[in-house]
Amino acid sequence: CLEAAGVEVKAVKGFVLGQRLYGNLGTRHVGDIDLLIRPTDVARADAALRATGLDRFRPDIPLTPLRLKKFVQLKPEFEYRRGSAPLRVELLWRLEGLPEHAAPWSDAVTCTIGGCVMRTLPPELDALYLLQHGARHGWFRLFWLVDAALLLRDQSIDWSAVMARARHLHLERPLLQAAALVEELFGMPRAAALLPRGSERAIITVLCAEAYRQIAREAAEHEGVGEWARQLGYRLRLQKSPRKKFAVLAPHLLTPENWRTWPLPDRWFFLYYPATPFLWVWRRAQGGMGKISAVPD
């Protein structure tokens, strides 16, 4: 569908990961189909998918050209489903947590899924993306750590190069945390490149403790402000540079939920900026904090 609309696409995570790590699409749980496109193709890809009968449920509000532009800047994806089917389609235009220059579009390899040849991420970039993605979400789905263990024992990946790239991008903490958790839970020794340096040991210990808490806890249907703030604090500690910490905070400073809470014409869009804290308090007073997995990316 996307190719017919002239949209280039890469398959990431999910079923591609299941095929690569487990050798069988039925072995690893897959909750969605992740498709990566260029940011400039979002409107065209969205129209093409909806024309096939897929319903875009996140966001489920109309997007003017201005709101579409702002949404693409703030968020990394749209989500779709067909009726009550449990399998979702996620249309990504940014790899969560990675700067755009870290994943050039030309940087791709091919894989074969069900007889179809598809483009996907090269192994080193894929490993960096997957490990920081799991860390970003606190590894609350334990099978993500099984994926991490299988990745970390892959001898074809140059982990020294991956770690050097991670340090250059200020993403070393997610990798160091993942390696520590895999060693503790699966008994798999860490590669020398994935051992924390002296000054990093304390923060990695703290990050691992929070991951254990999130793995073990039962998520409530509506979380309180305390839990929301604790998870936000964890995501901030996971980042090393001030710029990346701000990137974690940015979706809270101007969330698309404001557009639903207080509909405004585009000419008054600038009012959302000063109104953000008041709209946040209003939503929390009306409907609670939402599910743990809905903490903004």
Side-chain angles (χ1 to χ4, degrees), residues 6-10 35-43 45 72 91-94 104-106 119:
V7 176
E8 289 188 88
V9 61
K10 293 178 186 175
L35 302 173
L36 178 66
I37 63 170
R38 290 183 172 93
T40 52
D41 286 335
V42 171
V72 171
L91 189 68
L92 315 175
W93 50 85
R94 185 167 59 250
W105 190 258
S106 59
R119 289 159 56 90

Side-chain angles (χ1 to χ4, degrees), residues 36-160:
L36 178 66
I37 63 170
R38 290 183 172 93
T40 52
D41 286 335
V42 171
R44 187 164 30 153
D46 176 58
L49 290 180
R50 295 171 77 179
T52 69
L54 287 169
D55 299 314
R56 191 186 72 205
F57 70 95
R58 189 171 297 164
D60 60 354
I61 55 177
L63 296 175
T64 64
L66 175 61
R67 281 168 166 72
L68 175 62
K69 178 181 177 181
K70 295 295 185 181
F71 193 95
V72 171
Q73 292 172 351
L74 288 168
K75 296 289 187 178
E77 65 195 19
F78 284 158
E79 293 188 58
Y80 305 81
R81 62 186 165 211
R82 191 186 305 277
S84 59
L87 192 64
R88 305 184 309 277
V89 174
E90 293 193 1
L91 189 68
L92 315 175
W93 50 85
R94 185 167 59 250
L95 293 177
E96 177 190 37
L98 294 182
E100 290 186 21
H101 66 82
W105 190 258
S106 59
D107 199 5
V109 297
T110 58
C111 64
T112 302
I113 304 290
C116 298
V117 178
M118 308 189 73
R119 289 159 56 90
T120 188
L121 304 176
E124 283 76 16
L125 177 59
D126 193 40
L128 176 59
Y129 171 49
L130 292 168
L131 294 181
Q132 69 83 31
H133 173 270
R136 191 178 179 90
H137 292 281
W139 303 104
F140 75 92
R141 289 180 176 148
L142 186 56
F143 74 85
W144 287 344
L145 275 174
V146 179
D147 295 341
L150 293 173
L151 274 172
L152 289 167
R153 78 176 187 184
D154 187 343
Q155 299 300 312
S156 68
I157 295 178
D158 184 348
W159 288 105
S160 296

Side-chain angles (χ1 to χ4, degrees), residues 168-183:
H168 177 71
L169 298 172
H170 303 290
L171 287 172
E172 61 266 37
R173 288 179 181 177
L175 268 67
L176 295 172
Q177 181 208 38
L181 290 169
V182 166
E183 182 176 74

Side-chain angles (χ1 to χ4, degrees), residues 10-54:
K10 293 178 186 175
V12 297
K13 294 194 300 180
F15 63 94
V16 178
L17 187 64
Q19 174 84 354
R20 179 183 158 206
L21 294 183
Y22 299 87
N24 187 313
L25 293 179
T27 302
R28 181 189 183 274
H29 168 76
V30 174
D32 49 43
I33 297 173
D34 298 277
L35 302 173
L36 178 66
I37 63 170
R38 290 183 172 93
T40 52
D41 286 335
V42 171
R44 187 164 30 153
D46 176 58
L49 290 180
R50 295 171 77 179
T52 69
L54 287 169

